[in-house]
Amino acid sequence: MELLEELLQVERRLWTNDADVYRDNLLPEAQLVFMETGVIFRDVAVEAIRAENAEGRRWAEVDITEASARRLTEDVAVLTYKVAARWNYETVPGCWLASSVYVAREGRWRLGLHQQSALSAGPA
């Protein structure tokens, strides 16, 4: 499978907002950078997702466009894309530029760093 498709498969699973998917696909030392939270780590993200799920929050729409993947080394790759996503309780999606750094471990790609930069409301 092509690198871009491989990484997008993982990334799309992460956008399902499933805490177990996060726990299983992020490195234990993974860092996430969001405007709302600043820098957080895997275990904090997993607990935050569990809390969102308990409140009935989930992504209703996620549209990833302009995706690009590059291998930085044999074991490290970066994925960049534009995303428009809408929470189930919102009427208008938010738009972000996103970048994810993946590390090949135990025969599969695992997320080591994810960062989002807000663009604006509306379609990506």
Side-chain angles (χ1 to χ4, degrees):
M1 178 183 307
E2 182 182 328
L3 178 65
L4 177 61
E5 283 309 309
E6 240 180 299
L7 298 181
L8 280 173
Q9 275 186 352
V10 177
E11 202 77 12
R12 286 186 179 111
R13 283 193 305 265
L14 293 170
W15 277 94
T16 64
N17 215 43
D18 180 311
D20 293 335
V21 169
Y22 262 69
R23 186 195 63 234
D24 296 344
N25 287 281
L26 272 64
L27 294 170
E29 63 273 19
Q31 295 186 37
L32 306 163
V33 184
F34 302 107
M35 182 178 66
E36 303 82 6
T37 63
V39 178
I40 61 174
F41 300 92
R42 183 186 77 173
D43 293 344
V44 172
V46 167
E47 289 311 309
I49 290 168
R50 288 191 201 292
E52 289 170 349
N53 294 163
E55 295 170 5
R57 293 179 57 181
R58 62 175 174 75
W59 290 108
E61 298 174 24
V62 177
D63 183 27
I64 294 174
T65 60
E66 300 178 31
S68 174
R70 298 286 184 269
R71 200 177 282 269
L72 302 178
T73 69
E74 187 63 30
D75 300 8
V76 178
V78 64
L79 172 69
T80 58
Y81 57 92
K82 190 174 180 181
V83 62
R86 182 180 64 78
W87 287 103
N88 59 318
Y89 57 87
E90 295 178 328
T91 57
V92 177
C95 295
W96 299 270
L97 287 177
S99 56
S100 295
V101 176
Y102 282 88
V103 178
R105 283 213 189 139
E106 301 162 358
R108 63 189 180 101
W109 291 107
R110 296 186 63 198
L111 187 71
L113 172 71
H114 179 76
Q115 187 270 330
Q116 294 177 3
S117 299
L119 292 173
S120 63

